[in-house]
Amino acid sequence: MTDILIKLSRRPEPYAPEVHQRLQADATQIISRYPHPRSALLALLHLVQSEDSHVTATGIEFCAEQVGLTVAEVTAVATFYSMFRRTPTGDYHIGVCTNTLCAVLGGDAILATLERHLDIEPGQTTPDGSITLEHIECNAACDFAPVIMVNWEFFDNQTPESARALVDALRAGKTVTPTRGAPLCTFTQTARILAGFPDTREGVLDGAAGDATLAGLRVAHAQGMHAPRADEDREVAE
């Protein structure tokens, strides 16, 4: 217990002066966009994650200093949101949806295949630092199930075979194109974009709803169905 208390009481090693100066300039730019400095905390956490591939104790202390919060307050935020990683993350963060619909359609099989193929468990990173595997509760794309996200870009309608081919291509340094969204970049580059800095990628792909979502809309149109109008709402209320 004493060892734990001593460890918790130690201040982390600060960023090197040149790194601190660079991050300080970025942080100043981020904070200027918000009416209150503490409102910039999520963006600042993405900033330090773009530097270290995860949110470190040093990054937490840096964020706390920028917005006038305590380390405990920043830590509470950083540990609440699952997009903020607490351990080093590979170039490509592979999130396999294992929520109900994806699981029924093969998400569990995909995750199990990748665990065996990469020889790691969810939350771990391959020894070469290229792939971090994680199971995700929901990627909010049920009409494209099973879904994998790579650095938060969508790869839809996956199978164990296509998922294995995907990670092999990533590890081999090949160009991999998401099903929709923006062209793929590394995890730390994604984190910097999420911090609010310009996304210079070209060729953003179509992000329209999938057939499963549009099927209900097509039936409604064919049946002449529509959402209640304001005058209909008043008639029901009366």
Side-chain angles (χ1 to χ4, degrees), residues 41-55:
L41 180 55
L42 294 181
L44 290 174
L45 286 168
H46 281 299
L47 173 66
V48 296
Q49 184 156 264
S50 75
E51 182 67 28
D52 301 309
S53 85
H54 64 299
V55 178

Side-chain angles (χ1 to χ4, degrees), residues 198-226:
D199 183 352
T200 58
R201 294 174 292 178
E202 297 180 355
V204 175
L205 306 174
D206 180 34
D211 285 339
T213 292
L214 297 177
L217 181 62
R218 295 189 188 103
V219 171
H221 286 168
Q223 299 295 324
M225 303 166 65
H226 60 81

Side-chain angles (χ1 to χ4, degrees), residues 8 10-12 38 41 45 55-65 67-81 86:
L8 290 173
R10 290 174 180 163
R11 295 192 63 182
R38 65 173 55 193
L41 180 55
L45 286 168
V55 178
T56 64
T58 300
I60 286 176
E61 186 166 271
F62 174 84
C63 291
E65 292 171 352
V67 296
L69 294 172
T70 67
V71 167
E73 289 171 322
V74 175
T75 300
V77 175
T79 55
F80 180 83
Y81 293 101
R86 298 310 304 275

Side-chain angles (χ1 to χ4, degrees), residues 86-238:
R86 298 310 304 275
T87 55
T89 306
D91 291 332
Y92 299 101
H93 175 267
I94 310 291
V96 181
C97 184
T98 57
N99 213 335
T100 305
L101 187 56
C102 277
V104 168
L105 293 175
D108 285 340
I110 290 172
L111 182 61
T113 295
L114 292 182
E115 287 183 51
R116 291 192 300 269
H117 186 59
L118 298 171
D119 196 25
I120 57 174
E121 297 179 358
Q124 295 181 340
T125 301
T126 54
D128 63 0
S130 61
I131 303 290
T132 295
L133 181 64
E134 188 169 2
H135 68 84
I136 305 294
E137 280 303 313
C138 184
N139 280 327
C142 298
D143 48 348
F144 296 101
V147 171
I148 292 175
M149 293 195 85
V150 181
N151 297 344
W152 312 116
E153 301 296 348
F154 285 103
F155 289 80
D156 303 325
N157 303 308
Q158 293 294 296
T159 65
E161 293 74 22
S162 67
R164 188 167 56 243
L166 170 62
V167 298
D168 285 346
L170 291 172
R171 298 184 81 181
K174 297 180 180 179
T175 299
V176 175
T177 303
T179 309
R180 53 203 164 94
L184 205 59
C185 61
T186 66
F187 181 79
T188 53
Q189 289 169 334
T190 301
R192 185 167 177 82
I193 293 169
L194 291 172
F197 291 96
D199 183 352
T200 58
R201 294 174 292 178
E202 297 180 355
V204 175
L205 306 174
D206 180 34
D211 285 339
T213 292
L214 297 177
L217 181 62
R218 295 189 188 103
V219 171
H221 286 168
Q223 299 295 324
M225 303 166 65
H226 60 81
R229 296 187 295 268
D231 57 343
E232 293 175 338
D233 288 341
R234 284 195 296 271
E235 290 175 4
V236 172
E238 294 172 356

